Amino acid sequence: MKDTNPHGAGTETRPVVFRADCPSRPILDQIADKWSMMVMALLERPTRFNELKRGLEGVTQRVLTQTLRRLERNGMIERRVLPTSPVGVEYSLTPLGESLREPFGHLYDWTVEHSEEIQNRRRAYDSRTGA
């Protein structure tokens, strides 16, 4: 029998397979992207491009533009052109993007809570392996 589940969820006799054509994969790629999550964390209110760039130390203009376009394409943010001279653009979360705030908040809290332990484990690993 052919497995028609796009997520590739297994049964008790088969392991879970994350199929290449699973529709969740590109979404998870975006959600797991560090710049996407940082942009969404900054969007507590409508925010202009340069303000986002200043809030994301180390991001290039090109990477920020690509990130914003992907987030907009996936329906997480919306882009609004402002009638100013020169023309300005601001970004804000959509209801879909807003719905990601709570689970992202849990992930962020977990990261902060465990960051020291992870750093210690990295140092221990590097000293064992000579990295």
Side-chain angles (χ1 to χ4, degrees), residues 24-61:
S24 67
R25 285 180 77 167
I27 298 165
L28 289 170
D29 286 345
Q30 170 110 53
I31 291 170
D33 175 69
K34 70 177 179 180
W35 295 119
S36 294
M37 287 294 87
M38 287 189 236
V39 164
M40 292 183 66
L42 288 176
L43 288 175
E44 293 180 2
R45 58 175 174 68
T47 308
R48 293 178 86 152
F49 182 91
N50 285 329
E51 187 177 351
L52 288 170
K53 188 165 182 336
R54 284 191 299 273
L56 297 168
E57 187 173 303
V59 71
T60 64
Q61 183 164 335

Side-chain angles (χ1 to χ4, degrees), residues 26-117:
I27 298 165
L28 289 170
D29 286 345
Q30 170 110 53
I31 291 170
D33 175 69
K34 70 177 179 180
W35 295 119
S36 294
M37 287 294 87
M38 287 189 236
V39 164
M40 292 183 66
L42 288 176
L43 288 175
E44 293 180 2
R45 58 175 174 68
T47 308
R48 293 178 86 152
F49 182 91
N50 285 329
E51 187 177 351
L52 288 170
K53 188 165 182 336
R54 284 191 299 273
L56 297 168
E57 187 173 303
V59 71
T60 64
Q61 183 164 335
R62 179 177 168 268
V63 168
L64 180 55
T65 298
Q66 290 172 339
T67 300
L68 290 166
R69 285 182 182 155
R70 279 196 330 270
L71 286 168
E72 183 180 12
R73 181 172 183 245
N74 287 335
M76 301 292 184
I77 65 170
E78 61 184 10
R79 178 181 184 268
R80 186 169 76 102
V81 177
L82 304 171
T84 57
S85 180
V87 173
V89 175
E90 69 180 13
Y91 298 88
S92 58
L93 290 176
T94 63
L96 181 62
E98 196 65 52
S99 73
L100 189 55
R101 273 194 175 292
E102 184 178 351
F104 172 68
H106 291 298
L107 177 61
Y108 179 79
D109 292 345
W110 181 92
T111 304
V112 170
E113 181 181 336
H114 294 91
S115 63
E116 186 175 337
E117 178 183 352

